[in-house]
Every structure is written in C-alpha cells, then in structure tokens.
Amino acid sequence: LTQALKGAGHGVRRLGRASGAVPFSLGERVDPASLAGADALVHCAWDFSAVGADAVRRINADGSAALFKATRAAGVRTLVFVSSVSADPACASDYGDAKRAAEAACAAHGGLSVRPGLVWRFPPAGLFGALERLAGSLPLLPVFDGGRQPFFTVHADDLADALVRALSWAPGEFSAPPALAHHDAVEFRDLLKRLAARRGRTLATLSVPGGLALAGLRALESLGLRPPFRSDSLRGLLHTPASVDPG
C-alpha cells in the first residue's frame, strides 16, 4: 500500500509498531501529533493477539473508534477503513463482529469501509502464507465439512491499487461496504490443493465434522490452553459468506 500510494504521488506517513513508523498501537491513546497535517488516513491495523469477544472488541473495535475520532479532530478529511469480507452478517466470529462494529464507527465519522477477501501474493505472507506452508508440507490435510467453504481472493497489488482509488470514493455512493475481491469463489479444499500443486505435490484431504472440531478447540481453550488454530478462527471458516457485494 505504501508503494502504491507513493507511486500515485502521495506522501506517506506510516503509523504502527514496525521500525521506522510513527509509534502507534491499536487500543492505546492516539498521539494527535501523529495525525497533524495529514489529508487522509487508511486504517489497516488489527491486533490478532486479543482473545475473547470482549478483548477483541475493546482493543480493535473501540480502538478503531478512538482512532477515527482523533482523525477527525485533527482535521483529516478522508478516512478509509480496511475491513474484511468476514464482516458480512452471515459470518459468525468475534473477528467479524468486531470488524462490523469498527465499520459502524467509521461510518459515524463519515468514513468509508471496504472489505477485502483473502489477500494473496508470492512470496506468500499472512494467512495465505500459513495456508501455503500447510498445503506444501503434508500429504494429507483435514478439512471441515467437506472443505466446501467459499473463499474470495484478491491479489495484494490489486488491493493496494484499489485502496489508493478508494481515497476518492464518496461513502454515500455505496449501500454497504464494497468488497474488494474477485466475485468467483474458490472452495477451501481446492485452494489447498492448488497451493500444494504449485510446490509439485499432490494433496489429499480428509473431511472432519466442523462442529466436532469446534467443540474440541473450545474445550482446550476452556482449560487455558492455546491451540495453534483458535476456535474463533474455525467459526469464521465454517461460516464464510456465500457471495460478495461490490457495493
């Protein structure tokens, strides 16, 4: 996104915890000086370390609302929030609920929310990278309820270009946050098989009842354990949206 903004002629000030960025942590106090003089804010931050509905909402949704309020107080004219297709009301997860709450806060401050799909690129990173490593390392993988869950994807470069264009979109043009993803879905099991094939491997899948897996993860979490795959993540996987709305 930084490269795309600079390529379009924008000056960029990065806020975050990475080296070279203006210090910022979602859910903590926003330094007004960090926003001074900016014309637009593209809010991409999300804290995945938060566990439980209350913590996820407090840090991410309420933290986003505080950022939006500070942005407007600093005189920033344009506000774009990077949400997720998981914010679709058909989805059922703390992550999706908090994204939807942050969208409402963004709208209350006159901003525009957009909903990217699964972001992919090579070399892989993020969730896509985790799936690519998983598909390329094992000959047999469990999938849930047949692995028929639809995934809507967007390339990282296409998403960055769309976010640059979104700076000129008027929130009133859309009846709902527009989806930034290809309208044709890829089923979860097919996505894994394609990723394995790219590494020259043949992947077989084994269907596992999603409800049973979800109950097992919740039981582990109730004992204070941290399984590698959270129950909330599985809830989101089991309830992916059947379609995306371009607005």
Side-chain angles (χ1 to χ4, degrees):
L1 175 58
T2 296
Q3 292 172 350
L5 286 166
K6 288 182 177 179
H10 298 283
V12 178
R13 183 189 314 167
R14 294 187 300 121
L15 277 63
R17 291 177 291 192
S19 175
V22 176
F24 169 78
S25 186
L26 194 59
E28 298 182 3
R29 179 182 176 275
V30 181
D31 181 2
S34 66
L35 303 168
D39 296 316
L41 174 79
V42 183
H43 173 30
C44 309
W46 202 259
D47 189 342
F48 288 98
S49 68
V51 178
D54 291 342
V56 171
R57 187 179 183 99
R58 174 177 52 80
I59 294 174
N60 290 299
D62 295 348
S64 294
L67 175 61
F68 299 149
K69 182 178 180 180
T71 298
R72 288 306 190 209
V76 180
R77 296 192 300 270
T78 303
L79 172 60
V80 175
F81 170 54
V82 182
S83 183
S84 167
V85 293
S86 296
D88 187 289
C91 299
S93 67
D94 298 337
Y95 171 73
D97 291 346
K99 281 286 191 180
R100 200 159 52 250
E103 288 178 354
C106 181
H109 288 87
L112 171 70
S113 295
V114 294
R115 293 177 175 177
L118 174 66
V119 183
W120 69 276
R121 69 171 187 179
F122 290 101
L127 174 59
F128 180 75
L131 294 176
E132 196 269 347
R133 290 190 297 273
L134 194 63
S137 61
L138 298 173
L140 176 67
L141 277 179
V143 293
F144 307 103
D145 299 335
R148 303 298 298 271
Q149 297 83 9
F151 272 60
F152 298 90
T153 63
V154 59
H155 191 275
D157 291 343
D158 293 332
L159 174 58
D161 290 340
L163 290 174
V164 172
R165 294 197 302 271
L167 296 175
S168 62
W169 296 347
E173 296 177 5
F174 304 95
S175 58
L180 303 182
H182 197 282
H183 54 77
D184 290 335
V186 179
E187 290 186 349
F188 182 55
R189 63 181 181 179
D190 292 336
L191 175 62
L192 293 174
K193 290 180 178 180
R194 291 185 190 183
L195 290 173
R198 192 176 184 276
R199 287 195 175 196
R201 301 172 64 96
T202 299
L203 176 68
T205 58
L206 174 66
S207 181
V208 175
L212 182 62
L214 184 60
L217 289 176
R218 285 174 170 168
L220 292 174
E221 291 170 348
S222 69
L223 296 174
L225 301 177
R226 292 284 184 90
F229 197 74
R230 295 181 183 176
S231 62
D232 190 59
S233 298
L234 179 55
R235 284 178 65 204
L237 174 61
L238 295 177
H239 299 91
T240 55
S243 61
V244 293
D245 182 5

